[in-house]
Amino acid sequence: MTEQIGIIGGGIVGIAIARALTQRGIGDVTVVEKEHRVAMHQTGHNSGVVHAGLYYAPGSLKATLCARGRALTRDYCLDKNLPYREVGKLVVALTAEEMPALENIEKRSVANNVPGLRRLNAEQIKEIEPHAAGVAALHSPQTAVVDYAAITEAMAEDIRQSGGRILLGHEVTDITNSNGKVRVTTTAAELVFDRLIVCAGLQSDLVAQFVGASPSPKILPFRGEYWALSAVKQHLVKGMIYPVPDPSFPFLGVHFTRGVYDDIHVGPNAVPALAREGYGWRNISLKDTWESASWPGAPALAKQHWKMGAKEIAASLIKPLYFKEASRFIPELEIGDLTAKTAAGVRAQAWASDGSLLDDFAIDQVGPVTLLRNAPSPAATSAMSIADHLIDHHVLTRS
């Protein structure tokens, strides 16, 4: 009898796993998604960047899966005639004090075999981005942009054509595991599987509780807000302009990105969201906020990052502060060039009970249930390689 495999989560990672299973002919696959279309949350609210692997610790799962995922994403877009644009990225050091951090990124990039990487001086920066400031930069010419929602929709269609099912509007309310079967109760049906893979993103820790997994890591939602660059100033950015990130904080800082459809957005910042799906300051869940505030790691996290957090919140609420940060990289920028806030995204940041923020992919196993507990950036870039890794190291090894 064909094995019944369920997947909770219709984001790009869950859909990529389902597609890989159906393409390989492994099991009878059903995706369960609470929304009425796929790619509704993190997948459909990110910057669309296909990362080349500049930042990640060599040998880490992030570094390995990003490199493979970038190639798979490129090939898939070419095969499906989906847009894939190598607009290139500059990581810019504005001052001499930032040079050691830039050099560390360069070492990681070389170890990760980032294609075409070059170190640029101030004059060479102008050749790539004529309006950018900086004393030095790293240029990654093959960093690309795509439409991740379109990719997810295309993979969903692959699943259906290969005989898999995608059940939309099915919010999971309970999971029980007994007699070798996993029973999933949703708002619309009761489903029974031989094994279950959970890729629930912002809800991943809550779903993990259904199967008795450890409460740690918990999900701490961070909202990233974008401003749009006015049409008359879009010539100021050719591709992507990024800062040298703070190595102690798992976010890249405010940056400029020319999207796959030629829109240019500035951001995101990173502010704690007041709800798991809190896409604006008015989206408030007292339950979610209390769970974050009462988490054992909250005091340690606040002590370590309160200055950065206060800075990010202030920039969110006060446009001139956001502009001040952005204009450091493009001095010609004027505050009126930031025309409107576009749709924000919320990142599911995994958070340990000691207050540390998890930086790499994390997978738990509870009997026949595989739980993707943390899938940070570059998860969208790496989605297809995450799927292969999870199947090869978790699904097939438990057959």
Side-chain angles (χ1 to χ4, degrees):
M1 183 179 292
T2 302
E3 186 175 42
Q4 300 296 310
I5 301 176
I7 296 173
I8 296 176
I12 192 169
V13 175
I15 293 296
I17 293 169
R19 176 181 177 270
L21 288 167
T22 58
Q23 296 284 303
R24 295 196 199 185
I26 301 173
D28 187 350
V29 178
T30 301
V31 178
V32 181
E33 165 57 41
K34 74 184 181 74
E35 305 293 354
H36 291 279
R37 62 180 175 84
V38 299
M40 273 288 287
H41 292 290
Q42 292 182 102
T43 303
H45 289 84
N46 63 35
S47 58
V49 176
V50 181
H51 293 281
L54 278 75
Y55 310 105
Y56 317 124
S60 67
L61 203 53
K62 261 191 176 184
T64 303
L65 296 182
C66 180
R68 178 64 177 151
R70 182 184 66 83
L72 291 171
T73 301
R74 179 197 60 215
D75 293 347
Y76 187 77
C77 288
L78 292 174
D79 182 58
K80 296 291 185 177
N81 198 28
L82 295 169
Y84 185 96
R85 297 180 60 188
E86 292 182 345
V87 299
K89 174 199 286 188
L90 283 183
V91 179
V92 179
L94 294 174
T95 65
E97 287 73 23
E98 292 181 332
M99 287 302 298
L102 187 74
E103 289 166 359
N104 183 54
I105 294 172
E106 183 176 22
K107 290 177 182 177
R108 289 188 170 198
S109 300
V110 171
N112 291 335
N113 297 312
V114 173
L117 186 80
R118 285 197 303 149
R119 168 87 76 87
L120 307 180
N121 59 30
E123 184 177 337
Q124 292 169 322
I125 288 174
K126 298 294 185 183
E127 296 174 5
I128 304 297
E129 290 285 357
H131 304 278
V135 298
L138 295 176
H139 183 225
S140 170
Q142 293 186 28
T143 297
V145 286
V146 295
D147 182 340
Y148 280 120
I151 291 172
T152 307
E153 291 282 4
M155 289 196 294
E157 186 57 30
D158 292 341
I159 294 166
R160 296 183 182 103
Q161 290 183 1
S162 297
R165 295 191 299 163
I166 300 176
L167 304 180
L168 302 174
H170 283 247
E171 182 173 359
V172 174
T173 58
D174 193 27
I175 301 172
T176 57
N177 178 18
S178 63
N179 300 320
K181 298 290 184 180
V182 184
R183 190 175 302 275
V184 177
T185 303
T186 79
T187 51
E190 190 168 274
L191 309 164
V192 178
F193 302 108
D194 296 297
R195 73 175 75 203
L196 184 67
I197 302 168
V198 178
C199 306
L202 290 160
Q203 313 292 336
S204 61
D205 56 338
L206 297 181
V207 177
Q209 291 178 26
F210 290 147
V211 297
S214 169
S216 182
K218 183 174 176 55
I219 292 301
L220 179 63
F222 274 94
R223 185 172 65 255
E225 300 164 332
Y226 299 88
W227 285 86
L229 191 63
S230 66
V232 296
K233 292 297 182 71
Q234 293 200 354
H235 66 281
L236 295 177
V237 179
K238 304 297 183 185
M240 306 178 206
I241 303 170
Y242 276 59
V244 176
D246 180 347
S248 68
F249 200 59
F251 301 98
L252 297 178
V254 170
H255 46 273
F256 297 79
T257 302
R258 180 174 287 274
V260 73
Y261 301 118
D262 267 336
D263 56 309
I264 296 177
H265 53 262
V266 185
N269 57 357
V271 298
L274 300 178
R276 287 176 183 270
E277 296 169 8
Y279 294 102
W281 283 110
R282 295 181 180 180
N283 300 126
I284 299 172
S285 166
L286 296 178
K287 178 178 179 292
D288 291 348
T289 303
W290 170 249
E291 286 180 353
S292 294
S294 60
W295 182 245
L301 180 68
K303 182 179 180 180
Q304 182 179 1
H305 293 301
W306 74 268
K307 287 185 179 179
M308 177 67 77
K311 179 182 176 183
E312 293 287 305
I313 291 170
S316 170
L317 297 172
I318 305 170
K319 182 180 178 181
L321 295 180
Y322 199 110
F323 164 75
K324 181 180 178 181
E325 186 68 21
S327 64
R328 294 169 63 224
F329 297 91
I330 301 183
E332 295 172 53
L333 199 68
E334 298 176 355
I335 193 167
D337 297 333
L338 304 182
T339 57
K341 282 188 177 180
T342 60
V346 180
R347 170 174 170 167
Q349 175 62 55
W351 183 23
S353 56
D354 64 0
S356 60
L357 301 177
L358 274 65
D359 188 51
D360 209 348
F361 299 111
I363 301 171
D364 281 350
Q365 191 76 40
V366 179
V369 182
T370 304
L371 300 145
L372 186 59
R373 300 297 299 266
N374 192 43
S377 178
T381 299
S382 309
M384 296 182 195
S385 57
I386 292 171
D388 289 337
H389 173 85
L390 189 143
I391 292 169
D392 291 338
H393 292 86
H394 292 270
V395 174
L396 294 182
T397 58
R398 296 185 62 81
S399 297

